[in-house]
Amino acid sequence: IQLTQSPSFLSASVGDRVTITCRASQGISSYLVWYQQKPGKAPKLLIYAASTLQSGVPPRFSGSGSGTEFTLTISSLQSEDFATYYCQQLNSYPLTFGGGTKVEI
Amino acid sequence: QMQLVESGGGVVQPGGSLRLSCAASGFTFSSYGMHWVRQAPGKGLDWVAFIRYDGTNENYGDSVKGRFTISRDNSKNTLFLQMTSLRAEDTAVYYCAKDRRLRFLDASDIWGQGTMVTVSS
């Protein structure tokens, strides 16, 4: 299953509302995960099951979608949110990641 | 606290082999599925392999199937990745990661710091 993220790069400012899209090449129900990764660091789990916020993740992050189209929204971008975001599908093997969306200032 | 620490990375020639380890602590290792995920320099995440909590089932990415083997020793709280027939395109940081839920395939909530593997002559 191929995951296509858009955009690949996003320029934004603190306080902006940001939306990232992840499209699956076939239906994956809600088996979609979002991670955040900062340079030189391991990925951090943000959202699982398409829309469930991981414990400790700020509520400005939200996820939605099912089937083939999913979105990650940051309601009000903070300085610590500048990072690369990846989606991952857990519907079937081999598990796959999207190509990533880099959020830059 | 829950922690994963990878080791075993290094420089290896094309066609060579390497074994990575991932030491787990702070949780009941034998109750969780585990993954290996890699990231080539400047590139995105690439899922490598998964092993069930009890070691009875494994799955692999297409690019490593037949060359890499994931295994675990639940008595030593350690995950392994045996890599053979290494290619330049296997050069990457290799992360181990833990499933979020007991005994079910799920998102990875704990990740190690990564270990670098460089395949070069």
Side-chain angles (χ1 to χ4, degrees):
Chain A
I1 295 174
Q2 292 185 337
L3 297 180
T4 303
Q5 284 185 238
S6 60
S8 299
F9 296 92
L10 190 160
S11 291
S13 301
V14 171
D16 284 354
R17 181 181 181 88
V18 167
T19 298
I20 298 168
T21 298
C22 178
R23 289 189 174 87
S25 59
Q26 62 190 73
I28 58 171
S29 185
S30 296
Y31 296 108
L32 196 284
V33 182
W34 289 98
Y35 298 96
Q36 176 194 67
Q37 187 181 33
K38 296 182 179 180
K41 301 294 187 181
K44 174 187 173 184
L45 174 61
L46 295 178
I47 288 170
Y48 59 92
S51 60
T52 304
L53 203 64
Q54 170 69 353
S55 176
V57 174
R60 63 181 179 270
F61 291 93
S62 64
S64 64
S66 67
T68 61
E69 187 149 338
F70 302 86
T71 59
L72 172 70
T73 299
I74 309 172
S75 60
S76 179
L77 199 65
Q78 301 301 301
S79 56
E80 60 266 33
D81 301 336
F82 292 97
T84 300
Y85 295 84
Y86 294 94
C87 56
Q88 182 194 29
Q89 65 84 17
L90 303 179
N91 183 75
S92 61
Y93 293 107
L95 307 185
T96 46
F97 287 94
T101 296
K102 186 173 184 180
V103 177
E104 299 177 315
I105 300 173
Chain B
Q1 75 280 20
M2 292 182 280
Q3 189 175 11
L4 298 170
V5 179
E6 302 95 338
S7 60
V11 180
V12 60
Q13 292 188 339
S17 300
L18 206 59
R19 189 195 200 200
L20 305 183
S21 299
C22 169
S25 60
F27 64 97
T28 306
F29 179 72
S30 60
S31 294
Y32 292 89
M34 296 292 296
H35 302 256
W36 286 100
V37 175
R38 67 184 180 181
Q39 187 169 36
K43 301 297 184 182
L45 300 174
D46 181 28
W47 177 79
V48 173
F50 168 78
I51 187 167
R52 237 172 78 114
Y53 66 97
D54 55 5
T56 59
N57 185 257
E58 308 146 29
N59 285 276
Y60 297 91
D62 290 342
S63 60
V64 306
K65 201 174 295 184
R67 299 188 300 122
F68 290 11
T69 302
I70 188 172
S71 62
R72 65 191 298 160
D73 185 339
N74 284 346
S75 68
K76 295 183 178 178
N77 293 338
T78 305
L79 176 73
F80 302 101
L81 185 68
Q82 179 68 49
M83 304 184 294
T84 63
S85 302
L86 282 161
R87 307 165 180 166
E89 54 265 35
D90 295 318
T91 294
V93 173
Y94 285 74
Y95 296 100
C96 61
K98 162 195 166 292
D99 270 350
R100 187 187 63 87
R101 267 195 307 171
L102 280 169
R103 302 189 187 93
F104 285 94
L105 174 67
D106 203 344
S108 297
D109 64 343
I110 303 296
W111 294 67
Q113 84 288 352
T115 187
M116 183 71 202
V117 172
T118 302
V119 183
S120 174
S121 55

